[in-house]
């Protein structure tokens, strides 16, 4: 009976595609290229890859382990495993983080909807880079328009969740993710045909080790957590729907590889275009919204390239919003003791998300300045709070939870029938989760809060 109240994925590949779909998102296509651009290109890429292997993969495994053992949402999983309520706050921590991420994530998804519409109607024809920059400001500050554009993906996401795990999430991921790959390959081919694309590739793949600073490492780690969707229980939720015989080691590696592949492909699409047309890779968050439309106009097949790119961005964003909102929906069912069914939970979660998104959008306008915190709008505050504090702390506590407080016999990585090398990884994983992952996250958090220097100073005396 208990098993029935929670959804199940029907196949192993369904889990990997849904989790990879959640991982692959704006973080890969919108954020990764501009962050890499600002942090030294190839140098950043190397640090990023190391972070994925050392911290990303163990944390993906951690969340899958917790979810599958507990068969509960982020809200109930820690209690179910520990058998007491001491870990309840971590469940709430995950839920609050999920809503905060959705607050700003849906805004950017809304921008994507707007840009797709404009690409289809050819609205940026004739605008140069300055014009497009101005256009971005105009669009993002026209409140009613942005709100309408945000409501579209919110409704689409809720509609998918309405149909449940197998008929909604799994079915859609199986269609959208392969489609995303095909479109990315088409874009890569298109970009490599541009004269002078080599310069961008060199920027992205050539490593100047002198550019690796503590700041770069911090940014790479934050980006790795965000991109792999770890630290807020999104993968706990999917882990709860995972078939019992699934191999967690292989699935986690597959998710990490697919996610990293898309980030690298996004770099391969964006940097050659940026360099070939003489733009600056350090353009920041506007990189894909300003530079790319400018570049598309100078290419043959301009209309098609623009439309294709923004469809790609939207698909990536939607599979991620689905995974984010599922954290909220599953937790609502759980927290209400299943008094709320899936449909009621979807409606309630959608309502809360709408309020968060509207607040975020309003705080970006001058009229609603009182909605800012220390002079920064809610969009920036949510983004910063979650990526620099809440996700790392969530990840830190989950790694301690599994490393120290979960009996190791409960850590099932590989089904008993498969005795491969992957089965021997358990002690390595536990060691990483006890020491390497938490200590590194702690150092980075302290450094981020400016406390590390103070501590070092203290020890010197
Ligand atoms: N990983 C997604 C991206 O790269 C965003 C995302 C989806 C996410 N679900 C998440 C981030 C859960 C953190 C936690 O765009």
């Amino acid at each position: 009976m208990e098993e029935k109240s929670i959804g199940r994925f029907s196949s192993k590949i369904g889990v990997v595609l849904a989790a990879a779909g959640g991982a692959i998102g704006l973080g890969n296509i919108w954020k990764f290229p501009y962050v890499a651009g600002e942090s030294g290109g190839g140098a950043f890429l190397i640090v990023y890859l190391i972070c994925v292997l050392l911290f990303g993969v163990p944390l993906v495994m951690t969340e899958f382990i917790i979810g599958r053992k507990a068969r509960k949402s982020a809200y109930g999983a820690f209690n179910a495993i520990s058998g007491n309520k001491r870990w309840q706050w971590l469940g709430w921590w995950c839920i609050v983080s999920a809503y905060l991420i959705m607050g700003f994530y849906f805004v950017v998804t809304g921008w994507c909807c707007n840009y797709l519409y404009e690409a289809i109607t050819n609205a940026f024809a004739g605008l140069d880079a300055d014009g497009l920059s101005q256009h971005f400001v105009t669009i993002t500050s026209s409140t009613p328009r942005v709100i309408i554009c945000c409501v579209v993906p919110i409704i689409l996401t809720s509609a998918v969740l309405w149909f449940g795990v197998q008929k909604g999430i799994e079915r859609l991921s199986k269609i959208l993710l392969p489609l995303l790959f095909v479109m990315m390959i088409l874009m890569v081919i298109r970009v490599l045909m541009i004269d002078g694309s080599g310069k961008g590739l060199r920027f992205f793949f050539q490593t100047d080790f002198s550019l690796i600073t503590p700041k770069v490492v911090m940014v790479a780690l934050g980006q790795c957590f965000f991109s792999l969707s770890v630290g807020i229980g999104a993968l706990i939720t999917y882990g709860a729907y995972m078939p019992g015989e699934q191999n967690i080691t292989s699935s986690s590696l597959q998710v990490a590889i697919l996610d990293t592949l898309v980030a690298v492909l996004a770099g391969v699409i964006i940097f050659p275009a940026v360099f070939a047309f003489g733009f600056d890779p350090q353009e920041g968050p506007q990189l894909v919204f300003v530079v790319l439309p400018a570049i598309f106009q100078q290419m043959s097949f301009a209309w098609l390239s623009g439309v294709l790119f923004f469809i790609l961005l939207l698909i990536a964003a939607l599979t991620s919003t689905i995974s984010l909102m599922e954290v909220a929906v599953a937790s609502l069912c759980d927290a209400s003791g299943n008094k709320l069914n899936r449909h009621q939970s979807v409606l309630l979660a959608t309502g809360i998300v709408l309020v968060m998104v509207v607040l975020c959008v309003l705080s970006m306008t001058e009229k609603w300045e009182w909605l800012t915190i220390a002079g920064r709008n809610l969009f920036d505050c949510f983004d910063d709070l979650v990526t620099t504090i809440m996700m790392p702390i969530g990840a830190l506590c989950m790694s301690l939870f599994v490393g120290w407080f979960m009996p190791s016999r409960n850590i099932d990585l590989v089904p008993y029938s498969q005795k491969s090398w992957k089965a021997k990884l358990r002690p390595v994983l536990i060691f990483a989760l006890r020491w390497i992952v938490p200590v590194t996250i702690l150092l980075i958090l302290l450094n981020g809060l400016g406390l590390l220097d103070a501590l070092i100073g203290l020890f010197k005396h």
Side-chain angles (χ1 to χ4, degrees), residues 19-32 48 63 97-98 101 104-105 223-235 259 316-317 319-325 327 386-387 391:
I24 296 168
L26 297 172
N28 304 58
I29 304 177
W30 165 67
K31 212 167 185 184
F32 181 84
Y48 181 78
E63 290 207 16
S97 310
I101 297 184
F104 71 87
Y105 206 88
Q223 172 64 19
C224 158
F225 285 0
F226 187 80
S227 188
L228 287 174
S229 312
V230 294
I232 68 147
L235 297 170
D259 184 66
T319 48
S320 295
T321 54
I322 290 171
S323 93
L324 280 164
M325 190 137 37
V327 176
V386 176
T387 36
M391 291 181 68

Side-chain angles (χ1 to χ4, degrees), residues 30-31 33-35 38 280-289 291:
W30 165 67
K31 212 167 185 184
Y34 88 73
V35 172
E38 286 174 339
D280 182 2
Q282 308 200 348
E283 201 46 59
Q286 338 183 353
L287 188 64
V288 303
F289 293 109
V291 175

Side-chain angles (χ1 to χ4, degrees), residues 419-431:
K419 284 273 172 256
S420 65
W421 59 272
K422 291 175 199 135
K424 303 207 177 70
L425 276 179
R426 190 158 73 181
V428 182
L429 178 74
I430 293 178
F431 180 77

Side-chain angles (χ1 to χ4, degrees), residues 16 19 26 62 68 81 83 100 136 179 195 259 318 339 379 460:
V16 173
L26 297 172
T62 302
R68 189 169 69 184
I81 290 178
L100 291 175
F136 180 75
L179 192 65
D195 279 341
D259 184 66
L318 278 177
K339 280 199 198 75
F379 177 89
K460 275 194 182 146

